[in-house]
Every structure is written in structure tokens, then in C-alpha cells.
Amino acid sequence: MLSKSCRAVCPAVLAVVLSVAGTPARAMVCMETSMTLDEVVDTINKQKSCESAMKVFQDCQLTASGDVQLGAAVEKKCEADFLPGLNTAQQQAYKREMRVCDQKYRNKSGTMYLSFAAFCRAEVAQRYSQRALKAAGPKAR
């Protein structure tokens, strides 16, 4: 038998859980198309270059916590250009620059600061990619 408190509270909790579970993923207009966050990440992953991945990120930014996921996809795309070729000292320098981005906004409140950090990290990865591609010459592109 349900307790008196559960009879009053349980239906309300169940209604909230069901309404949240039934809510479709939010869409955003990006590149003149309605896309979910996962679809934007897929679009970034399908880009042929770090530069085009960053362009999608810039065009589809939310200036909120969702940018963390988009920025991580850009980082991964850009890192493919340079990460395997870095020596230990260069890897440490790259990680240090990424930590600077994380620390720059860590004491700020609001999801826009998560976005700022995500952009900072993506821009660091983009710079490393640009340097690696420039050093490799035209064959790397």
C-alpha cells in the first residue's frame, strides 16, 4: 500500500519523468537546416578538414554548454592532422595550452563560459593543425 506522501507526490514525479523522457531532442537552425546537436556533431565529423570543421562550429555555435560537444568534435578532427607527429615536448606544450583554456573560465558561472572554453580549445587545435599542414607542404592537403 502506498504511503500518504507518495499518493500525493508519486503521480507528479511520474508525470515529470514521462514528459522529459518523451521530449524529442531540441533542434537548432544551423547552415539553414534544422539539426539536433548530435546531427551537428555528425556534420563536423564528416568534414574533410579541420578548417571546414571549425567553420561548422562557428556557424552552429550555441554560446552555451552544447558547444562543449561541438568543440570536442572539432578538436578530434584537427588533432588528426598533427597529434601523431608531435614529440613528447610538443605534446606537453599542446596539453598545457588546452589547460590554459580550461582554467581561463573555470571560476566563471554561466554556460556561456563553457562555450568560451570550448572555442578556446578548438582554436588551439586549429592552430596546431595549420602549423602541421604548413610544415608538411602542399602534399598534406
Side-chain angles (χ1 to χ4, degrees):
M1 185 133 230
L2 294 175
S3 70
K4 289 181 184 180
S5 64
C6 186
R7 279 186 230 150
V9 176
C10 289
V13 171
L14 182 60
V16 169
V17 169
L18 291 176
S19 70
V20 170
T23 303
R26 287 194 176 172
M28 64 180 124
V29 176
C30 172
M31 299 172 6
E32 300 180 13
T33 305
S34 179
M35 290 193 257
T36 65
L37 189 62
D38 289 340
E39 289 170 331
V40 177
V41 169
D42 289 342
T43 301
I44 289 171
N45 290 336
K46 290 176 185 173
Q47 296 304 301
K48 294 186 191 282
S49 70
C50 171
E51 294 301 317
S52 60
M54 183 60 118
K55 176 84 169 93
V56 172
F57 185 22
Q58 291 167 335
D59 290 348
C60 300
Q61 68 180 304
L62 300 165
T63 316
S65 60
D67 287 347
V68 173
Q69 195 174 351
L70 302 180
V74 172
E75 284 177 47
K76 182 178 176 186
K77 176 62 74 176
C78 294
E79 286 175 347
D81 293 338
F82 66 87
L83 205 54
L86 295 182
N87 63 35
T88 304
Q90 292 167 326
Q91 286 177 12
Q92 289 173 347
Y94 175 65
K95 288 177 186 177
R96 189 171 34 258
E97 287 187 53
M98 294 301 238
R99 280 194 306 273
V100 167
C101 290
D102 294 336
Q103 292 170 356
K104 188 173 184 179
Y105 303 106
R106 77 166 181 242
N107 293 325
K108 305 285 186 184
S109 67
T111 59
M112 70 181 180
Y113 294 106
L114 296 173
S115 173
F116 296 167
F119 264 97
C120 180
R121 291 176 60 91
E123 289 165 354
V124 169
Q126 181 184 33
R127 277 195 310 274
Y128 272 75
S129 169
Q130 290 167 339
R131 282 186 219 142
L133 293 175
K134 185 176 178 181
K139 293 189 292 184
R141 295 182 186 121

